[in-house]
Amino acid sequence: MKVTVERAQLLKSLGHVHRVVERRNTIPILGNVLLRAENSRLSLKATDLDLEITETLAADVATSGSTTVPAHMLYDIVRKLPDGSQIVLEATGDRAVLAIRAARSRFTLQTLPESDFPDLAAGEMTHTFTLGAADVKRLIDRTQFAISTEETRYYLNGIYLHSAGSATNATLRAVATDGHRLAQIDLALPSGANGMPGVIVPRKTVGEVQRLIDDPEAAVTVELSLGKIRFTIGNVVLTSKLIDGTFPDYGRVIPANNDKQLIVDKHDFEQAVDRVSTISSERGRAVKLALASGKLVLSVTNPDSGSATEELEVDYAADALDIGFNSRYLLDIAAQIEGDVAVLRLADPGSPTLIQDKDSKGALYVLMPMRV
């Protein structure tokens, strides 16, 4: 194999694929990236056996061929080479090394044979649809923060993607929850997604897709089956296993009859929560909301350091209510509100609260209260 490629392009592609590679691997080949040169293209492929990413870029191929080299090492080398340089990658069949040349720099890296490199066989995909990159990013951005990190409840360690709504108003819905908070967002159901199975996309996959989207105008092709999902964004193809589990009936925790409505300026509310929570303990994090007609008082009491209160003028006309929340969770949700005005629908100090943008925009959030 002998191929010449422009540094900036190779660095960008390696930046995408090397992230999938775990730094500590018991199986040496999983620490490597597969390089394949043919037909004026160089393709790079990396996998952790659950997730596989392939990117193809234009290259000057003198001799076709393939090999595998340590992914993080290659990325670091290319990153440190001079801007604008042309990089020559050369491997000969009789020696298990890859030679890298650029300007006055010379490197050789140990290789492993391509035949050892695992293939994440995707099998047949049952449904295919296309979404705008901005829509995919919005689906992820609005729900990712609520993904559970508790490994024992593995079925909550991802975003539940499924079709919802009625025949006349069908939607593609993304839901994530960790048991303390829930995030849900709906988009119009794209053509080809009708009858799609409900799938749980793992947290790592979600993060990689989010990082791969650098052009909001691009199109993202999504293919899925009961066991796998594949995202194609430009020259990048990301294939992932899905979480094999049943997502809980989340509809039961979304309150329908919360009769107390609080309308608040999102920015004022966010800043006030942030300020008073400065003195909360790492363990406690509780912030108390005391609601009365037209007024909201936020307060935090920490026996070890003191207390803080802040008063806001709000639109609230229901009965007085005191309720507590985890301040970090409250800030996470406030950050998702796209408009300037947030609406909180409350019931009582022990029941979940529904939080939405005043103009809804297809997203809703549920937050469980805390004792304060």
Side-chain angles (χ1 to χ4, degrees):
M1 177 181 101
K2 185 176 181 183
V3 58
T4 306
V5 65
E6 207 271 314
R7 174 193 173 268
Q9 281 189 297
L10 182 58
L11 183 63
K12 184 180 178 187
S13 298
L14 278 169
H16 291 155
V17 301
H18 92 287
R19 284 194 306 256
V20 172
V21 179
E22 300 290 349
R23 284 198 176 267
R24 290 200 179 118
N25 268 306
T26 50
I27 307 169
I29 194 74
L30 293 182
N32 281 16
V33 57
L34 170 64
L35 306 174
R36 183 178 286 130
E38 58 189 0
N39 305 329
S40 302
R41 314 286 288 169
L42 175 67
S43 76
L44 300 93
K45 182 173 174 180
T47 185
D48 65 0
L49 295 182
D50 290 320
L51 184 63
E52 177 187 278
I53 185 163
T54 306
E55 181 156 355
T56 312
L57 61 153
D60 180 2
V61 179
T63 312
S64 297
S66 53
T67 189
T68 81
V69 289
H72 292 288
M73 184 79 72
L74 180 60
Y75 174 72
D76 284 341
I77 289 170
V78 174
R79 185 169 58 83
K80 293 173 182 179
L81 287 171
D83 277 349
S85 55
Q86 294 291 315
I87 298 175
V88 180
L89 306 171
E90 188 171 4
T92 51
D94 55 344
R95 290 179 64 221
V97 294
L98 175 75
I100 303 165
R101 299 199 311 274
R104 296 179 182 179
S105 302
R106 301 284 183 274
F107 297 89
T108 57
L109 289 182
Q110 297 290 325
T111 65
L112 289 170
E114 182 211 359
S115 54
D116 292 354
F117 200 83
D119 186 36
L120 194 66
E124 190 185 340
M125 298 293 192
T126 56
H127 291 76
T128 304
F129 53 90
T130 302
L131 288 168
D135 284 339
V136 175
K137 197 158 171 45
R138 192 163 169 257
L139 276 180
I140 293 172
D141 287 349
R142 299 285 164 259
T143 52
Q144 188 181 29
F145 73 94
I147 296 175
S148 174
T149 53
E150 206 179 304
E151 298 302 330
T152 51
R153 301 168 81 190
Y154 65 93
Y155 48 85
L156 297 182
N157 294 164
I159 292 176
Y160 181 46
L161 200 61
H162 59 299
S163 56
S166 60
T168 52
N169 185 28
T171 62
L172 178 66
R173 178 174 292 172
V175 182
T177 182
D178 61 5
H180 304 289
R181 60 229 168 124
L182 177 143
Q184 172 187 307
I185 182 164
D186 286 344
L187 296 177
L189 192 71
S191 171
N194 271 324
M196 66 175 267
V199 297
I200 308 172
V201 186
R203 180 175 58 237
K204 184 174 177 181
T205 305
V206 164
E208 288 308 321
V209 171
Q210 188 184 42
R211 289 191 193 101
L212 288 171
I213 295 171
D214 46 20
D215 175 11
E217 303 300 314
V220 180
T221 302
V222 183
E223 300 165 79
L224 54 84
S225 65
L226 277 169
K228 303 259 173 47
I229 190 163
R230 182 187 291 135
F231 297 88
T232 305
I233 308 163
N235 297 323
V236 187
V237 180
L238 184 148
T239 307
S240 169
K241 290 180 181 175
L242 294 164
I243 292 175
D244 182 14
T246 304
F247 202 77
D249 179 8
Y250 63 88
R252 289 194 333 216
V253 302
I254 298 174
N257 302 313
N258 284 13
D259 56 348
K260 297 177 176 65
Q261 180 172 283
L262 165 65
I263 299 173
V264 63
D265 180 287
K266 171 238 164 119
H267 302 287
D268 290 350
F269 180 67
E270 197 172 11
Q271 288 166 3
V273 172
D274 193 27
R275 278 193 289 267
V276 297
S277 65
T278 307
I279 67 152
S280 66
S281 68
E282 198 56 38
R283 221 159 28 94
R285 291 190 184 280
V287 56
K288 178 177 162 187
L289 278 62
L291 285 156
S293 182
K295 187 174 81 169
L296 164 64
V297 178
L298 297 132
S299 61
V300 170
T301 304
N302 180 350
D304 299 326
S305 58
S307 61
T309 62
E310 184 156 343
E311 189 175 312
L312 291 176
E313 283 185 22
V314 294
D315 181 347
Y316 181 78
D319 296 341
L321 173 71
D322 288 358
I323 189 168
F325 294 109
N326 179 308
S327 57
R328 186 165 58 84
Y329 293 169
L330 208 48
L331 287 170
D332 282 346
I333 290 175
Q336 308 312 317
I337 302 293
E338 294 169 86
D340 294 327
V341 180
V343 179
L344 287 78
R345 299 183 203 283
L346 309 107
D348 57 64
S351 300
T353 292
L354 185 69
I355 305 172
Q356 280 176 293
D357 216 296
K358 193 178 182 193
D359 305 321
S360 171
K361 297 187 178 165
L364 65 83
Y365 308 95
V366 178
L367 184 56
M368 297 300 292
M370 277 179 87
R371 273 208 198 99
V372 284

